[in-house]
Amino acid sequence: MSKQSDITSIVVTKLKEIVPNQDFVALHEPLFRGNEWSYVKECLDTSWVSSVGKYVDLFERKLAEYTGTDYAIAVSNGTAALHAALIVAGVEAGDEVIMPTLSFVATANAAAYIGAVPHFADIEESTLGLDANKLDEHLARITEIRSDGCYNKNTGYRIKAVVPMHTFGHPVDLDPLVEICKHYKLVLVEDAAESMGSFYKGRHTGNWGLLSAVSFNGNKIVTTGGGGAILTNDASLAKQVKHLTTTAKVPHKWEFVHDRIGFNYRMPNLNAALGCAQLEQLPDFIEKKRAVAQVYQQAFAGIEGVVCFKETGFAQSNYWLNALLLHESHASCRDDILGQTNSQGIMTRPAWNPLHTLDMFVNCPSMDLSMAVSVCNRLINIPSSACLGDEYA
Ligand SMILES: *Cc1c(COP(=O)(O)O)cnc(C)c1O
């Protein structure tokens, strides 16, 4: 094993060799090389800038087409998409919602908006997503299945849903999670915020859950500035999502009738125009991102003590964000590497702080989370913009 200081300098040197020699190299920057200007200009020229317009419809159609889902409903951001998806999936106040502790805070926030309680689960190192075996053992131990659902014997509350998340674009192992949901009477809602363009066993992520949520924030692989979408293969759920996210307005030529407390979550036409142009380039973005990943993997292949995360056999990943994983024995180098790279203009980031450690979620139910904690302590995201792939793809 290399000494600690060696690993730090090896990683920093390698990264400097690979990324362009610029003052600043971002973790992920958007690329606008297609029809962005002309589509957005058309919105301005025609005054169709807001929540109704041809680009919203077109974006939804193109999204469904690309992901192979029957319905896509565009909304204002990925968090809103998760919020709406969970409501329509039947999550209610007091319910518990299983989710990985390694996720962006939005996954837990969306459940909390409903008055539901996140129930944190561990991840596996090979996917960075939910560990189905460990979850199954946990549920077998703590739950009781009644006619109206699955109950947590420790808290007395109903567990309603499982929300796996495809970390950094890498598909989680979905099939065993589908089985778990069937067995325990739980609904599956995928947090596919990071996985536009990622496929599990040949099919696009977002097709395994009852519903799934995608994000088009500026840092995601496809951006609408800010935006999100709910994907589903169920016509009735699609209709409910659309209704709920458009202030629950009952269609009428002039009257304002709203039949429940809805949300103003519609995606504006301006953003959808940007999204249409971006979606056209997604295959190219993925090709570039995968080329960048390849370069990192080769560069770090022979180095002991660190690996560059690689998709598993069932996955075809968009490689949205590349990640280095230090060996446990080198976890203490993480902060040095972060410090040195960032001070030299190479943007790197640690994983999110595990959700169960955040103040507002510390008292939430959870299982043993040792793998997620371990991974968090030794993971470093490295520059992954598609433009870095210009030279490689
Ligand atoms: C980005 C993201 C979201 C939320 O999307 P926004 O569009 O930023 O609201 C949710 N979950 C995960 C895992 C994300 O990465």
Side-chain angles (χ1 to χ4, degrees):
M1 274 284 163
S2 321
K3 288 206 301 277
Q4 306 287 331
S5 55
D6 292 347
I7 283 287
T8 301
S9 69
I10 288 168
V11 169
V12 174
T13 307
K14 281 279 171 202
L15 288 175
K16 277 161 75 174
E17 279 169 23
I18 294 168
V19 304
N21 187 14
Q22 298 165 182
D23 288 345
F24 177 70
V25 181
L27 204 59
H28 173 94
E29 58 184 304
L31 215 52
F32 303 115
R33 292 181 181 166
N35 290 314
E36 285 88 350
W37 282 100
S38 77
Y39 292 174
V40 171
K41 183 173 186 301
E42 187 190 326
C43 296
L44 299 175
D45 289 343
T46 59
S47 300
W48 288 99
V49 294
S50 199
S51 54
V52 181
K54 78 168 201 193
Y55 282 112
V56 177
D57 298 333
L58 184 64
F59 188 54
E60 290 179 336
R61 211 160 59 239
K62 292 282 174 198
L63 267 178
E65 211 171 275
Y66 184 86
T67 58
T69 47
D70 290 339
Y71 307 93
I73 299 97
V75 292
S76 48
N77 59 62
T79 312
L82 270 172
H83 184 199
L86 289 177
I87 292 174
V88 170
V91 173
E92 293 173 359
D95 285 341
E96 292 179 11
V97 177
I98 307 266
M99 63 184 68
T101 189
L102 180 69
S103 187
F104 179 55
V105 68
T107 320
N109 281 344
Y113 295 163
I114 303 173
V117 177
H119 182 138
F120 298 115
D122 205 8
I123 61 162
E124 43 182 359
E125 187 166 359
S126 61
T127 63
L128 302 178
L130 280 182
D131 182 332
N133 283 327
K134 205 166 167 179
L135 178 60
D136 192 18
E137 283 166 21
H138 175 66
L139 292 175
R141 206 164 42 241
I142 66 144
T143 64
E144 177 181 282
I145 302 173
R146 300 185 200 156
S147 58
D148 64 335
C150 177
Y151 281 79
N152 182 338
K153 288 189 286 190
N154 298 331
T155 63
Y157 290 108
R158 181 176 71 159
I159 303 178
K160 179 66 189 179
V162 178
V163 185
M165 194 276 286
H166 305 292
T167 311
F168 311 138
H170 299 297
V172 66
D173 196 359
L174 285 158
D175 280 342
L177 291 171
V178 169
E179 287 308 309
I180 286 174
C181 286
K182 266 190 210 144
H183 180 79
Y184 293 95
K185 297 187 181 178
L186 304 169
V187 295
L188 188 70
V189 176
E190 291 172 66
D191 182 341
E194 306 180 353
S195 65
M196 265 310 292
S198 297
F199 294 76
Y200 174 73
K201 298 186 178 175
R203 197 160 183 216
H204 200 279
T205 49
N207 272 288
W208 277 259
L210 197 57
L211 306 120
S212 58
V214 187
S215 167
F216 305 110
N217 191 26
N219 65 349
K220 300 300 201 295
I221 189 163
V222 163
T223 187
T224 58
I230 297 103
L231 307 176
T232 182
N233 290 310
D234 184 305
S236 157
L237 295 179
K239 211 171 151 193
Q240 289 175 56
V241 166
K242 188 116 181 182
H243 188 61
L244 185 66
T245 55
T246 49
T247 63
K249 186 177 182 302
V250 180
H252 190 281
K253 277 211 166 73
W254 55 80
E255 271 197 83
F256 294 98
V257 179
H258 304 262
D259 61 3
R260 66 184 288 187
I261 297 176
F263 299 95
N264 176 16
Y265 278 172
R266 286 302 281 161
M267 176 184 281
N269 201 44
L270 265 177
N271 301 73
L274 197 59
C276 287
Q278 287 270 289
L279 262 189
E280 293 168 355
Q281 299 161 82
L282 180 55
D284 181 51
F285 293 166
I286 292 170
E287 195 183 328
K288 289 191 165 71
K289 290 235 176 216
R290 290 183 64 87
V292 173
Q294 193 71 34
V295 168
Y296 279 131
Q297 271 158 27
Q298 271 161 15
F300 287 96
I303 300 170
E304 239 184 286
V306 57
V307 293
C308 186
F309 188 88
K310 207 171 167 175
E311 66 193 0
T312 42
F314 54 65
Q316 198 189 353
S317 175
N318 63 9
Y319 280 98
W320 170 56
L321 278 189
N322 285 285
L324 294 177
L325 260 181
L326 298 165
H327 189 270
E328 299 257 14
S329 58
H330 296 299
S332 59
C333 300
R334 186 196 75 165
D335 289 351
D336 279 343
I337 295 171
L338 287 167
Q340 289 190 28
T341 47
N342 283 295
S343 71
Q344 295 180 57
I346 299 173
M347 186 172 169
T348 58
R349 287 289 180 268
W352 309 279
N353 285 7
L355 296 175
H356 73 280
T357 66
L358 301 180
D359 277 351
M360 57 285 193
F361 300 124
V362 279
N363 295 318
C364 292
S366 64
M367 61 157 84
D368 170 73
L369 301 169
S370 47
M371 180 53 81
V373 169
S374 158
V375 164
C376 281
N377 287 334
R378 54 199 173 83
L379 187 146
I380 300 169
N381 283 123
I382 52 180
S384 303
S385 301
C387 62
L388 297 181
D390 282 345
E391 299 167 48
Y392 312 126

